[in-house]
Every structure is written in structure tokens, then in C-alpha cells.
Amino acid sequence: MRSHVRHFRKFARLSLACAGFSVLAAAPMPGGEPPVAFAETLPMTLIRQDLALAPDAPLTITFLPPTPITPTDSIIIGAYRRIDSRQQFTKAISGEYGRVLDSVRIDPADPAAFAVDADGQVTITIPSESATGTPAALQFPRSGLYPITVDVQAAGGSLVSELLTFVDRLPVATDQDRGRIGIAVVATITAAPQIPGADTPLPSPVIEQIEQLLQYPDTAPFTVSISPEILDRLDAETLDSLSAVMARNTVLAQPSVPFDPSAAAAAGQQDLFTELLQAGEDQNATRTSTRADRSAWIEQEPLTTEGASLLRSRGVGLLLLSPETYTNVGIDNGFLGDFTLYSQLRDVQLSDGSSIPAAVFDPTIDRHLIDTALSPELAALYTAADLVAWRDQLYDNLPPVTGNSVVLGLPAGGVLPAERVSRLVEMVTATGAGEFTDLSDLARITDVQIVDGSEAQVILAPHQPTDLTTRAPTLDELSAQRATVSSMLVEDGGRTEQWTRTIEVLSSTSITDAQVAETAESMLGEFDAITSAVEAPGSYTFTMNGLSTNLYPRITNTGDEALNVVVQLRSSADKMQFPEGDVAVTLLADSVTTVTVPVRARSNGSFTVTLQVLSPDGVTPITEPTILKAQVNALTGLAQVFTGGALLILLTWWVRNLRRSRRLRSSESSMSTHPTRSKATTETATTTATAATAAAPDSSVLTGTATATTGTSTITAVTSIAQLDTSSGTGTVANELTDGGAAVSAKDVDPDSTTLSDS
């Protein structure tokens, strides 16, 4: 837990420092960086010098003078007052060294102090001391950072050339440890993705950045953020070397192609951002065997509050903001100006009331590492000296130093020069002023700056990110057609993977709308060339004289490859059934395929049938619908008349038989008392009506049976309806009624009669 009391004391000391003692974070803001200046002479090139100087140890400096040093020249080494703040360090870099503490003159003829090699490089060795001062040694009375000048003077006393350097005189064993600040070195490599099918090489700056990263030392942890798409564009040897570097350092997650979270949030494409971020992590793991993590996000495009919220919701634990983004926050929303402790964090406020911690690139700490006018050695030494001054200022004003960290890297993205970083690690480690760590650990070891008793908070400035809404309909159409066409392919040949990758690349915020339009037009043309090869049959009329039959539509494939499709038929008002449903078929290249589709009629009449050729998913149309006209004559009128007539005869007989039964029962009742009357014999009458149908071959027969029973008789009517297949052109129907074994032809029955006479 952070101590608010401790941080209140820190802020009190900070205010006191700004009032008169020293200015913490007094380094100029962007646009006001001081130039590296020397006297009106030619500068010398520093070749080698250790920043750390043990007490009473000799100081050795190797440099290359602009012109050879002659025996008549003199070399004067001067030590100036101790530096207590970054402000004083910046002034010293500008030529304001302060007062001289001590100086030593070296004779080029003295072999113990002066040596020159075959390349003209000069090495000088100067004794140092702490307690006493002697003419032959430089005195550094206490530990700390000191400016050192090396001047070459001609015989007449004129200044020929000079060099400004620094030494950090280390403390003796009894001195108090001044502590260490955390140092995270970050390397960010991104590039616009290559559109599949194109032969776009990696930009030369990206190649140079990768080469620099491969030379980073293994003596300190670093943080690497590299666009996974770049990995696919490296040769095997480079990828293997890069994998080794990534394996020993922290790798931050990036989407598979550059995708700005602020733009994603503004366009409502949070899910797409998440998909690409996951895909990028998987790609890193596959290509380099190193799993990227979401511990931090290095800002590459200005972040909005919505973009920060998206990152927070996806597991990002720390933001690294550019100085410009922090400055644009404004005084009213948390920008502290010269009161900013760039070695501490601030909380970015989110719209839901939560927050996410953020570090900010110091605007000046990296200026020497990228200054091409400086030698690698001098650039590393200046940066290391700046870090020592930073640590000393923190210790003098806001001890302890723990809870303070600094990030070294390029806010606009890129990789700091490897040679300079390597020497920087050696120099800082030797001084003990800093401890190198990775960015993923920064949130844990770094405090949030306290202002007026509260943790510093910022509200990010509004910003209009790349507008992704204009390309969304195009990408949606490409995705839909990709799915359709891919399902049709019998031989994919890697096309689906390429189409999928292309759509992913086109979603990148580093791809312009013009590139999206041009590539989409090409892809849609490729899709159309495949789907337009499929041709449905023209409209035609067919007649059904039976309940079921087969249709044989002919589907044409004019293309040079086999395609999978589905043939679908649907009838109007659902008057026709298709027992086997949609029919999947493979159309051979440059051929006509006859498809067999079983059909069954549900009613007579004329109606339309729609034939559609679909993609294999059975949803997406491949061709325009074909309208077929059906004429169904399955249930004939004659058969319907016979059916009705048979039922009428059955009903007439049943009524007549019922009356007759009643008369018989009445007569038996009156005769039951006659003495000579034997037991009545029960009369049983059985009448059978049979309708038999002789149908033509392949016809269908519908058969129905009805039975009626009275007390004395039973009648059964059997009707048969011949379903005529008019393709045969013939058919016969016969109805027979039987009553007690007597047959009556239906043609002899009056259809209007409601009674049936006995035969």
C-alpha cells in the first residue's frame, strides 16, 4: 500500500524545491530542447570513457582529436562543481559549467599520461584524489556527478579543440547508499501490413530497427513490442535470431495487424480489436515460441478515453503515453507542467469511473541517444549522466528513491541504437544509479505522483481517430462473399486463407480507405468470376399425371474448376413436396450436370415452382431464381364421381335395411304366442358392395372400406379410386355392389336414386 502521508511530504518538498532550491523535472518540454553546444572550436570525438570513477582511482579518457596533437600542444583537463539536479546537468551540456574545482595540465611528451595509437586516437590518464589536492591529480571532494572538460591548446594558448564529458565519483564505503531508480528500455516496431498477393518489401527503417534489436545486449531486460505481421515477412535466419532476442525479454501484445484501439472504440469494433489482439498473441507464439502479454500498452496513436477503456477491459495494466498526449491533456485535466515527475505514474480516468495507471515518456531523456552528431560513447555517457543527476536530485529532495522509474525509448516508435544502449547499460550499472527492469513490472515498482495529497489524475484530450465506419460495409460484404465462395470450392488451393488474411489486413488502421477500395474491387472480381460460372436452366413447364415423379434440371458450369452447389425447389402455396429436400451436387468443370430431384404433388391444378442454385450452406443464392410452371392432374374427376356414388349407394341401402328390420321384429312379436310356432329362425342378410379398380401400370390406387350393421344384417362397401397416369393414356374403373351374393354393375344404378333394389 502506498503511504499518502509519505507522498504528501514528497509533494511538500517538491514545492519547496520549485520555490528556490532546485526544480525537479525541470527538463525542457518538447520544442525547447537545448542544443548540444561547445565552444567555438572543433569538437573531439569520445571513443571510450567510464562514467563511474572509484574514489582516488585514475580517470582514463580516449578520444579522437579533429587534428593531430603536436608536441607543442598542451592538454588541460578541468573539473567543475558538482551537479545537484537535472537542470544543472542541462546547463552544463549547454556550456554553463559553473565554477572550476580543479584542473591538470598534461604534456604530450609524458608517456605516463599521454598515448596515441596508429589511428590517431589519444588516451590520457589523470590521477584523482578525494581528501587532498595536488597539482598532478584532479580532486573530487565528495561523491557525485562532475562536468569534465578536455581542452587542446596550441603553443600560443589558443584553444584548438575541446570535449565535454562527466564523471560520477562513487561513494566510499561509509557513504550512504543513494538508491536506484527503475529503468525500462522499450523497443517498438510496427509497419503497414502487406496486402496478400502483393510483393511489398518491409520498409528500410523497419529492417534497420530489427537489425538494431538483434544487437541488444543480454545483460539487461528489455521490453519489445513488434507487430506480429512483420514476423511473416522475415527470412528464416532473421526470424530465428529475433526469436532468441524475444525469448529473453518481455514481449508486449499487439494486434496481428496494426489496429488503433481508439479507432476501434469509436467505430464500435471492440470485438474485432479483441480478435486481432488474440490473433497477434497466437501468431507470436507460433512464429517465435514466445507468448506476448498484455501487461502494458505503448501508445502509437493518440489515445482517447474510450480507447484506454477498451485496453483496460482487455487486460492491459499500464499505459505508456507520449509527451504530446500528456501535454494535450491541459492544465485543467491533470497536466502539471514543470511540476511533473516523469519518474512517477498518473491515473488516467475512464468514463465508467475507474482508472488505469500511465507512465509518460520523459521528453528529453532520449535526446542524446538519437543525436547523430554525438559519438555512441558520448551519447551513452550523456544519457547515463542524466540518469545519475535524476537519481541524485530525487535523493536530495524526495528520498527514498524507490518508487521512481523512467522509460527509455522513442515515443513515435522505433528502436534505440544498440551500441549506445549497450554502453548505457554498462555505465548506469557501474554507477549504481539505476536498475534495469521491463515495462511489465513498472506499475508494481513505481508510485503514482501525489499532488495536494491526492494521486495525480488525467483526463485524456478528445481526439478524432481514424474513421473505420466508411470501410465497414465493404469489409462485411467481402467477408460474406468469402464464406460463400470458399464453400463452393472443391480444390481450395489456399485461397480461403489468403482471402481471410486480406480482409484482416484491410481492417488495419494503417491501411488507407483508398487501399481498401482498390483491393476490395479486385477481390469482388475474383469472387464474381467463380460464382458467375454457374448457370441455372431457363424457365419451362411440366405436367404431372401421377402423384410423384422426378424433375431433371440441368445446371451448367462454364468455369475451369469443379464447384459445389445446392439445388433447391420450392412451390407456391406449398402445393408440392420435395421428399429429399435440397440436393447437393458437384458441378464438373466446363460441363452440364443433370440433377435428379424427386417431387410429389399435394393437389391438382397449375402453380409455380421456383428453382434456385445456392451455395453449399443452403442460404446464399448463386444464380437468379428460375420459375417453373407445373400442371398437376393426379386426382381425376371420374374417380371422384365414383367415390361419391359408392357412398350414396351405401347410405341408401342402410336406410332401407333398417326399415325392413323393424318390420320383421314387429311380425315376430305378434306370432310368438301361437302354439304351433317354433322358435323363430333368425334371418341374416349380408350385402356386400365392392368397387374394384383395374389401373394402368404404375398407377396408384386409393382404397376405402365402410361397414354398417343392423340387428339382422351387415353391409360393407369397398371403394377403389384409380390414380391414372395419363402418360399411359388408359385406365378403367369398376364398382360392384353385392347383396346376398348378387352382383349389380354400378352402371345399372341410378345415381340419383336414394334406394337400392334387391336383385
Side-chain angles (χ1 to χ4, degrees):
M1 298 293 292
R2 300 185 180 96
S3 171
H4 284 273
V5 173
R6 185 187 71 177
H7 283 285
F8 178 76
R9 291 171 180 168
K10 283 187 176 185
F11 183 72
R13 293 191 185 99
L14 172 60
S15 301
L16 182 62
C18 293
F21 289 91
S22 63
V23 178
L24 200 63
M29 297 303 298
E33 296 180 2
V36 178
F38 300 94
E40 296 295 331
T41 59
L42 294 174
M44 293 187 290
T45 301
L46 182 65
I47 302 301
R48 185 78 180 185
Q49 182 212 324
D50 291 330
L51 176 64
L53 181 66
D56 301 321
L59 171 63
T60 300
I61 304 173
T62 300
F63 59 90
L64 178 65
T67 57
I69 297 177
T70 67
T72 60
D73 294 335
S74 297
I75 302 174
I76 301 174
I77 298 92
Y80 296 81
R81 69 174 185 177
R82 181 179 179 273
I83 290 176
D84 296 322
S85 67
R86 294 190 72 198
Q87 184 182 34
Q88 290 182 6
F89 173 77
T90 300
K91 288 182 177 180
I93 291 292
S94 301
E96 300 180 28
Y97 312 139
R99 64 182 180 86
V100 177
L101 293 180
D102 199 359
S103 63
V104 172
R105 180 182 293 270
I106 293 178
D107 185 352
D110 182 358
F114 181 91
V116 59
D117 64 12
D119 295 327
Q121 296 179 357
V122 175
T123 300
I124 58 175
T125 304
I126 311 101
S128 72
E129 53 191 2
S130 302
T132 60
T134 61
L138 286 176
Q139 184 180 22
F140 301 105
R142 61 191 183 106
S143 61
L145 186 67
Y146 294 86
I148 301 294
T149 58
V150 179
D151 297 335
V152 177
Q153 293 182 351
S158 62
L159 188 62
V160 176
S161 60
E162 70 172 357
L163 171 68
L164 171 67
T165 184
F166 296 86
V167 295
D168 178 32
R169 210 274 273 170
L170 300 178
V172 296
T174 57
D175 289 345
Q176 187 173 4
D177 183 10
R178 301 178 70 82
R180 295 171 176 83
I181 59 175
I183 303 172
V185 178
V186 300
T188 306
I189 305 177
T190 59
Q194 182 183 59
I195 298 176
D199 188 20
T200 307
L202 279 171
S204 55
V206 172
I207 296 176
E208 173 62 24
Q209 291 166 8
I210 293 175
E211 291 176 351
Q212 289 296 320
L213 186 58
L214 295 180
Q215 300 174 40
Y216 265 45
D218 57 4
T219 54
F222 303 105
T223 302
V224 179
S225 178
I226 183 169
S227 180
E229 190 270 344
I230 293 176
L231 302 176
D232 291 334
R233 302 162 72 179
L234 300 176
D235 61 78
E237 182 179 355
T238 302
L239 181 61
D240 287 345
S241 299
L242 182 60
S243 298
V245 173
M246 296 172 70
R248 64 175 182 260
N249 294 295
T250 297
V251 179
L252 298 182
Q254 276 197 40
S256 55
V257 293
F259 198 61
D260 177 24
S262 298
Q269 295 186 2
Q270 292 89 339
D271 290 343
L272 177 58
F273 176 83
T274 305
E275 292 174 8
L276 295 179
L277 188 62
Q278 180 65 54
E281 294 170 348
D282 294 342
Q283 195 169 354
N284 262 319
T286 300
R287 299 291 281 160
T288 68
S289 300
T290 299
R291 190 76 187 180
D293 68 57
R294 305 182 187 181
S295 57
W297 178 269
I298 302 175
E299 180 190 53
Q300 298 177 45
E301 298 291 338
L303 271 175
T304 62
T305 298
E306 294 74 19
S309 297
L310 174 58
L311 293 171
R312 182 72 170 126
S313 68
R314 298 312 187 263
V316 174
L318 175 72
L319 303 179
L320 180 55
L321 304 178
S322 69
E324 290 77 14
T325 294
Y326 175 59
T327 302
N328 290 337
V329 162
I331 297 296
D332 295 336
N333 290 319
F335 174 60
L336 299 178
D338 285 345
F339 287 89
T340 301
L341 279 169
Y342 286 100
S343 59
Q344 294 189 343
L345 309 178
R346 48 225 68 250
D347 288 328
V348 174
Q349 300 303 294
L350 306 179
S351 54
D352 62 357
S354 63
S355 64
I356 180 172
V360 181
F361 279 105
D362 181 87
T364 61
I365 189 65
D366 295 321
R367 68 189 188 275
H368 304 302
L369 289 176
I370 59 176
D371 188 349
T372 57
L374 301 178
S375 69
E377 185 77 0
L378 191 60
L381 188 141
Y382 280 0
T383 305
D386 197 354
L387 290 169
V388 170
W390 199 337
R391 186 278 311 268
D392 290 348
Q393 183 174 354
L394 287 170
Y395 180 81
D396 290 341
N397 292 280
L398 303 175
V401 174
T402 55
N404 289 271
S405 303
V406 60
V407 179
L408 298 178
L410 302 174
V415 179
L416 292 170
E419 184 180 5
R420 301 183 181 205
V421 170
S422 181
R423 278 296 286 152
L424 173 68
V425 170
E426 294 176 1
M427 292 181 183
V428 172
T429 301
T431 64
E435 182 175 5
F436 287 88
T437 184
D438 54 67
L439 195 60
S440 62
D441 205 32
L442 215 65
R444 181 185 66 83
I445 66 174
T446 310
D447 293 336
V448 177
Q449 183 177 351
I450 300 300
V451 179
D452 291 334
S454 300
E455 294 184 342
Q457 299 178 350
V458 297
I459 299 175
L460 297 176
H463 166 70
Q464 182 59 51
T466 301
D467 185 6
L468 298 175
T469 58
T470 56
R471 69 180 67 174
T474 300
L475 297 182
D476 290 344
E477 181 182 5
L478 289 176
S479 296
Q481 292 210 30
R482 179 272 320 273
T484 296
V485 175
S486 295
S487 68
M488 296 174 62
L489 300 177
V490 175
E491 296 291 339
D492 185 279
R495 284 175 288 180
T496 295
E497 181 180 356
Q498 178 170 317
W499 292 332
T500 302
R501 180 61 178 166
T502 300
I503 295 172
E504 179 181 289
V505 168
L506 295 182
S507 66
S508 172
T509 49
S510 61
I511 297 293
T512 65
D513 286 343
Q515 289 176 295
V516 172
E518 180 181 358
T519 305
E521 182 179 3
S522 176
M523 288 183 65
L524 292 174
E526 189 175 357
F527 294 153
D528 184 66
I530 295 173
T531 58
S532 63
V534 180
E535 297 179 358
S539 298
Y540 61 89
T541 300
F542 65 94
T543 300
M544 289 183 61
N545 295 319
L547 281 178
S548 61
T549 188
N550 291 329
L551 294 183
Y552 301 99
R554 294 162 62 85
I555 313 299
T556 302
N557 178 8
T558 63
D560 58 1
E561 65 175 317
L563 297 174
N564 294 317
V565 296
V566 167
V567 177
Q568 179 189 82
L569 278 78
R570 295 289 185 269
S571 66
S572 60
D574 200 22
K575 293 183 178 181
M576 184 172 286
Q577 293 179 327
F578 306 93
E580 295 186 6
D582 298 344
V583 180
V585 62
T586 297
L587 308 177
L588 299 180
D590 193 22
S591 65
V592 178
T593 301
T594 300
V595 184
T596 301
V597 183
V599 298
R600 179 179 292 275
R602 302 185 67 183
S603 64
N604 287 339
S606 299
F607 46 87
T608 59
V609 174
T610 302
L611 184 150
Q612 190 96 61
V613 181
L614 307 175
S615 62
D617 60 11
V619 175
T620 308
I622 301 301
T623 65
E624 294 295 326
T626 297
I627 305 301
L628 310 179
K629 294 182 180 180
Q631 178 64 48
V632 179
N633 304 316
L635 303 179
T636 66
L638 182 58
Q640 294 172 4
V641 170
F642 284 152
T643 301
L647 291 176
L648 180 59
I649 292 171
L650 175 63
L651 179 61
T652 301
W653 180 90
W654 187 82
V655 172
R656 180 177 178 275
N657 193 65
L658 180 61
R659 290 175 179 174
R660 180 174 155 186
S661 297
R662 286 176 178 174
R663 286 197 302 268
L664 289 174
R665 283 195 301 270
S666 177
S667 175
E668 289 176 354
S669 176
S670 62
M671 294 178 63
S672 61
T673 58
H674 195 284
T676 63
R677 177 72 173 173
S678 61
K679 186 176 180 180
T681 300
T682 303
E683 178 183 349
T684 304
T686 304
T687 304
T688 304
T690 304
T693 302
D698 300 327
S699 66
S700 298
V701 178
L702 300 180
T703 302
T705 301
T707 302
T709 303
T710 68
T712 58
S713 63
T714 300
I715 183 170
T716 300
V718 181
T719 64
S720 297
I721 304 173
Q723 308 302 315
L724 302 183
D725 184 352
T726 57
S727 63
S728 66
T730 61
T732 58
V733 178
N735 274 342
E736 289 185 344
L737 300 178
T738 61
D739 187 357
V744 180
S745 175
K747 65 183 178 181
D748 297 328
V749 179
D750 182 359
D752 296 328
S753 174
T754 59
T755 62
L756 180 64
S757 301
D758 289 334
S759 51

